[in-house]
Amino acid sequence: MAMSNNVIGGINFVAMLLSIPIIGAGIWLASEDDNACVQILQWPVIVLGVLILVVAIAGFIGGFWRVSWLLVFYLISMLILIILLACLVVFVYMVTMRGSGHPEPSRAFLEYRLDDYSGFLRRRVRSNYKWDKIRTCLSSTSLCAELNQTYRMAQDFFNAHITPLQSGCCKPPTQCGYTFVNPTYWISPINNAADMDCLNWSNEQTELCYGCDSCKAGLLENLKKEWRMANIILIITLVALICVYLIGCCAFRNAKTEDLFRKYKQGYT
C-alpha cells in the first residue's frame, strides 16, 4: 500500500503543477487592458486554478501521509473541479464562435460590427450602466494616445495593423468618410448618415468613439482573441488533469485492494 500511496502523492504533485498554467492564464487575462475593464473571465479562471491547487495539495498530503479521508476528499473534489473546468472550456468556445472583422477599401486594419458577436458577449456591453464603467476604464488607458505617437502620416495609418479595440474606439468608421488629421483627430465627414457611429464620433480625446457600437465590437473581438488563447491553455491542462485523475483513481483502488488483501492475510493467519 505504501507504494500506491506514494504514487498518489506523486501524481497529486503533478496536479499541483498543472494548476499553475490555469492561474497564470487568469492573471494574464487580468493584466490585459480590455479584460481588466470588463472583468468577466479572469476571476473564474483564477479561482478555479487556486481550488485545483488546494485540492491537489490535500491529495498530496493524503497520499504521502496515508490520510484516507483526505484522499477521498481529493477524489470527489477533483472530479467536481474537472467537470467545472470542462464546462468553462465549452462555455468559452461557444461564446467566442461568432464574430470577425470586415475589410474596408484601402485599409490594412479591419472594422467590427456588434451584431456579429454572441448574445452573451453583447449583453456585457449593451447596458448603458455597464458600458459607462467600461468606457471610463478604456479612456483612462494609453490605448489611443499611442497611435498618435506611432503614425504621423495618413497612409502609414491606413496601412497599419492596429488592434480591434483601437480600430473600434480610436477612430470613426471608415464609411463615414472623415478626413485624417492624425489617428485620433478627423474632420469633414462625407456621409454622416452611413452609420450612427458617425454621429457619435468626437475629436475630444476623452470621448473619441468610446460611445460607438464599433468600440463595443472592437472590445468583444479583443476579448474573443484573448479568451481563445487562454482556452487553449485550459484545454491542454484539462486533458492532463483528466489523465492524472484517472491514474490517481487506479492507484487509490490498488491501494485499497492491497489493504484489504493484507487484512485478509492477517485474519487468515
Side-chain angles (χ1 to χ4, degrees), residues 64-249:
F64 272 114
W65 281 273
R66 305 180 189 180
V67 184
S68 297
W69 70 267
L70 273 180
L71 290 176
V72 174
F73 168 78
Y74 158 76
L75 290 172
I76 295 173
S77 299
M78 187 58 77
L79 178 60
I80 293 172
L81 291 174
I82 286 174
I83 293 171
L84 289 175
L85 182 58
C87 291
L88 183 61
V89 165
V90 172
F91 167 76
V92 172
Y93 174 76
M94 293 299 293
V95 300
T96 58
M97 284 179 62
R98 294 178 54 191
S100 61
H102 301 271
E104 293 288 340
S106 305
R107 301 290 189 270
F109 50 77
L110 301 176
E111 299 201 345
Y112 304 88
R113 298 168 189 162
L114 188 57
D115 290 338
D116 291 344
Y117 295 89
S118 68
F120 173 84
L121 289 178
R122 290 201 308 272
R123 285 192 294 273
R124 305 283 74 76
V125 296
R126 285 277 193 200
S127 161
N128 288 333
Y129 171 73
K130 291 179 180 178
W131 183 249
D132 284 345
K133 293 196 296 184
I134 294 171
R135 69 182 288 179
T136 300
C137 177
L138 290 175
S139 63
S140 67
T141 68
S142 60
L143 174 75
C144 297
E146 60 190 31
L147 292 178
N148 291 332
Q149 299 169 6
T150 307
Y151 306 106
R152 302 291 184 182
M153 306 299 293
Q155 199 55 48
D156 292 338
F157 180 71
F158 297 154
N159 292 333
H161 294 278
I162 59 178
T163 68
L165 198 54
Q166 289 172 326
S167 173
C169 302
C170 303
K171 63 169 192 58
T174 301
Q175 61 186 340
C176 304
Y178 277 86
T179 300
F180 177 95
V181 176
N182 68 43
T184 61
Y185 197 94
W186 301 71
I187 59 173
S188 307
I190 297 173
N191 186 13
N192 256 342
D195 194 303
M196 280 300 297
D197 286 348
C198 301
L199 299 175
N200 289 329
W201 168 258
S202 170
N203 283 317
E204 179 64 41
Q205 295 301 291
T206 57
E207 296 292 330
L208 300 178
C209 219
Y210 290 119
C212 302
D213 280 354
S214 63
C215 185
K216 298 176 182 179
L219 172 66
L220 297 187
E221 180 66 20
N222 256 39
L223 291 178
K224 187 187 83 169
K225 289 182 176 181
E226 290 164 5
W227 287 16
R228 281 186 170 182
M229 290 176 64
N231 211 33
I232 292 171
I233 297 173
L234 297 183
I235 290 170
I236 294 171
T237 308
L238 174 63
V239 172
L241 273 175
I242 291 172
C243 294
V244 165
Y245 181 78
L246 292 176
I247 295 171
C249 287

Side-chain angles (χ1 to χ4, degrees), residues 27-53:
I27 293 173
W28 172 71
L29 287 173
S31 69
E32 297 296 305
D33 287 340
D34 47 358
N35 273 283
C37 291
V38 180
Q39 297 186 352
I40 301 174
L41 186 64
Q42 59 267 46
W43 288 114
V45 172
I46 292 173
V47 169
L48 196 54
V50 170
L51 289 176
I52 289 172
L53 176 61

